[in-house]
């Protein structure tokens, strides 16, 4: 038996018995079986290769688009703007409209800044603005009346007790519709909280039409109104 015959016999002996019975020992049969086996092996390799785990790649970020760490901050310009009046020692006094949350220092900058030698003593530049208020720079509040002197707005009397008439009025009263919080706090019994209530009331009612409206402000009763009546004007 030649070498070729021995090779065929060796291959045939390694095949399952049912293959040996059905296929016999014909070379064509062996070649067809080999082709089938190669196809099966190729299919198995392809299936294994395509089913292997694939690495996950992060998405590409296009130029100019913000990442999660660079998300844009929300705009602070939303909401109703605050309208105030800036008077006194500023370069451009008048009405200023500012974003909500602005402070006194922002209003001063909007008014062109302070003039040379402006007196800011007693002016809290870090305070938040209230819509409709007036900010006066360098305007000094009226000095309190000395002991025994006639209250502001009343006619002084001579030593005999007789009144000299309306021509003797020397001191001006504080305007409830335009005075700043600092000016209102100079009134007797009026602190920062009550001054803020007065400003909120005049903002809601577009000013004071009469002094009697002062009674409607939260925190002002009959006794307090009696103290303030002669010191203020609408």
């Amino acid at each position: 038996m030649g070498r070729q015959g021995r090779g065929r016999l060796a291959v045939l002996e390694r095949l399952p018995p049912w293959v040996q019975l059905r296929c016999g020992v014909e070379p064509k049969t062996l070649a067809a079986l080999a082709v089938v086996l190669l196809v099966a092996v190729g299919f198995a390799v392809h299936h294994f290769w395509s089913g292997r785990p694939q690495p996950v790649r992060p998405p590409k970020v296009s130029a100019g688009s913000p990442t999660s760490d660079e998300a844009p901050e929300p705009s602070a310009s939303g909401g109703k703007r605050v309208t105030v009046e800036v008077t006194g020692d500023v370069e451009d006094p008048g009405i200023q409209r500012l974003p909500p949350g602005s402070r006194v220092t922002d209003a001063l900058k909007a008014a062109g800044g302070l003039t040379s030698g402006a007196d800011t003593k007693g002016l809290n530049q870090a305070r938040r603005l209230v819509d409709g208020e007036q900010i006066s720079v360098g305007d000094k509040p009226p000095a309190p009346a000395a002991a025994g002197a006639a209250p502001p707005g009343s006619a002084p009397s001579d030593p005999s007790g007789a009144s000299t008439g309306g021509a003797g009025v020397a001191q001006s009263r504080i305007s409830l519709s335009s005075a700043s919080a600092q000016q209102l706090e100079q009134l007797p019994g009026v602190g920062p909280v009550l001054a803020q209530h007065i400003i909120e009331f005049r903002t809601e009612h577009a000013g004071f039409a009469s002094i009697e409206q002062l009674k409607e402000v939260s925190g002002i009763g009959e006794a307090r109104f009696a103290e303030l009546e002669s010191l203020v004007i609408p």
Side-chain angles (χ1 to χ4, degrees):
M1 182 180 297
R3 182 179 299 177
Q4 186 177 2
R6 289 196 299 271
R8 290 176 54 192
L9 181 59
V11 173
L12 184 60
E13 290 177 350
R14 285 170 171 76
L15 294 176
W18 64 272
V19 175
Q20 297 180 20
L21 293 176
R22 291 181 177 273
C23 297
V25 293
E26 293 295 329
K28 293 182 179 180
T29 304
L30 292 177
L33 181 60
V35 171
V36 171
L37 291 176
L38 289 176
V39 171
V41 171
F43 178 78
V45 171
H46 174 73
H47 180 74
F48 172 78
W49 183 258
S50 61
R52 75 187 190 283
Q54 299 289 337
V56 179
R57 298 181 180 179
K60 295 183 179 180
V61 180
S62 59
S65 60
T67 62
S68 58
D69 295 335
E70 301 175 350
E73 297 181 357
S75 173
S77 62
K80 185 178 179 181
R81 299 179 71 85
V82 179
T83 302
V84 298
E85 182 183 13
V86 183
T87 63
D89 299 334
V90 291
E91 296 292 345
D92 187 19
I95 301 297
Q96 305 296 336
R97 294 175 176 83
L98 303 168
S102 298
R103 302 179 184 272
V104 172
T105 182
D106 300 319
L108 298 179
K109 292 178 181 178
L114 300 172
T115 59
S116 178
D119 183 12
T120 59
K121 185 178 181 180
L123 182 63
N124 183 6
Q125 298 189 40
R127 178 177 58 81
R128 288 185 182 274
L129 296 175
V130 178
D131 186 62
E133 73 168 295
Q134 182 187 63
I135 302 172
S136 298
V137 182
D139 293 342
K140 296 182 179 180
S154 63
S157 57
D158 58 18
S160 63
S163 173
T164 59
V169 177
Q171 294 181 340
S172 61
R173 301 182 184 185
I174 292 179
S175 172
L176 295 174
S177 297
S178 61
S180 65
Q182 289 80 9
Q183 291 174 319
L184 292 173
E185 291 174 16
Q186 300 300 320
L187 295 171
V190 178
V193 175
L194 188 53
Q196 188 62 37
H197 287 173
I198 295 174
I199 293 175
E200 292 174 354
F201 180 89
R202 78 186 185 197
T203 301
E204 182 179 354
H205 296 81
F208 284 82
S210 64
I211 298 177
E212 283 70 21
Q213 282 187 297
L214 194 59
K215 298 178 182 179
E216 303 176 25
V217 177
S218 176
I220 297 182
E222 292 292 339
R224 182 65 51 79
F225 176 77
E227 295 178 350
L228 302 176
E229 183 178 9
S230 60
L231 304 178
V232 296
I233 60 175

